[in-house]
Amino acid sequence: MFGRHHHHHRGRWDGHGDEHHGRHPFGFHGGHPGRGRGGRMGRFFDHGDLRFVVLKLIAEKPSHGYELIKAIEAAAGGAYSPSPGVVYPTLTLLEELGYVTASDAGGGKKLYTITPEGEAFLASNDAPVRSLFERMAEAASASAAFSPQILRARENLKTALRLKLHGGQLTAEQITAVAKALDDAATAIESI
């Protein structure tokens, strides 16, 4: 039924036509989770799995495409974040199949709502849908170190350090203060 729709479900959009993502437990191969660097990684979802995830999330709460991207990323604990180039075609397909309807929510956004046909489709695929969400929960618990909060904080630290180091000549006192702040952060993390 979905054989005509060929999308490679990879991770984040890097702006250059390729999508990449993180790692484990569904056949991942190292690299930075959700970072779009380091070459192509393994696939997070098998072909067609994303439609189940998107449809289940819409069944739980009518949503915009961006909300679905964030919900999937949260459900996977940051191990995977689908790109708009994967989610929006999936939404279009689900709409064409009559499983969701889209209504204008203003500002160019569409609000997707499940239809009775979509609910029946989900019910008839309950086992694979539950399995997908269980696997995403496993990925989330196995990748706590790569939670969205930790990734965001790490990126904030890297950005602050880069800006400080490239912002001009640092004094000896500034160098000492930066080194102390980094050492203090390392010590605080080790003691958690």
Side-chain angles (χ1 to χ4, degrees):
M1 176 177 238
F2 289 92
R4 64 184 176 79
H5 196 69
H6 300 285
H7 286 286
H8 297 284
H9 304 297
R10 303 248 181 222
R12 295 190 187 269
W13 176 251
D14 68 1
H16 300 289
D18 282 331
E19 296 169 88
H20 308 279
H21 74 267
R23 69 254 168 297
H24 69 36
F26 318 4
F28 303 103
H29 311 286
H32 295 291
R35 292 280 304 169
R37 294 183 185 170
R40 285 194 175 263
M41 308 292 176
R43 287 165 48 145
F44 194 88
F45 291 121
D46 288 334
H47 179 73
D49 286 350
L50 187 61
R51 73 179 184 263
F52 291 128
V53 173
V54 168
L55 194 57
K56 175 70 172 165
L57 291 170
I58 292 170
E60 292 172 358
K61 176 184 173 271
S63 301
H64 305 289
Y66 179 77
E67 292 171 323
L68 292 164
I69 291 168
K70 290 301 170 191
I72 294 167
E73 182 178 29
Y80 173 75
S81 181
S83 76
V86 173
V87 169
Y88 287 102
T90 300
L91 287 167
T92 298
L93 176 64
L94 291 171
E95 189 176 10
E96 289 172 356
L97 292 168
Y99 295 159
V100 299
T101 59
S103 58
D104 184 8
K109 292 183 179 179
K110 290 183 178 181
L111 182 67
Y112 293 90
T113 306
I114 196 164
T115 63
E117 293 83 4
E119 290 172 353
F121 178 73
L122 267 184
S124 69
N125 288 284
D126 184 60
V129 171
R130 270 189 292 114
S131 176
L132 281 167
F133 277 85
E134 287 168 7
R135 287 172 27 208
M136 288 195 319
E138 287 173 18
S141 65
S143 65
F146 299 103
S147 71
Q149 297 92 340
I150 292 173
L151 289 174
R152 177 200 48 76
R154 186 182 70 185
E155 290 306 310
N156 284 346
L157 175 61
K158 287 168 56 177
T159 300
L161 187 58
R162 185 171 44 250
L163 290 172
K164 183 54 75 176
L165 295 177
H166 297 289
Q169 189 75 14
L170 295 179
T171 66
E173 293 81 21
Q174 288 173 314
I175 291 170
T176 300
V178 168
K180 181 179 181 333
L182 293 172
D183 288 338
D184 290 347
T187 301
I189 291 168
E190 289 170 356
S191 69
I192 294 174

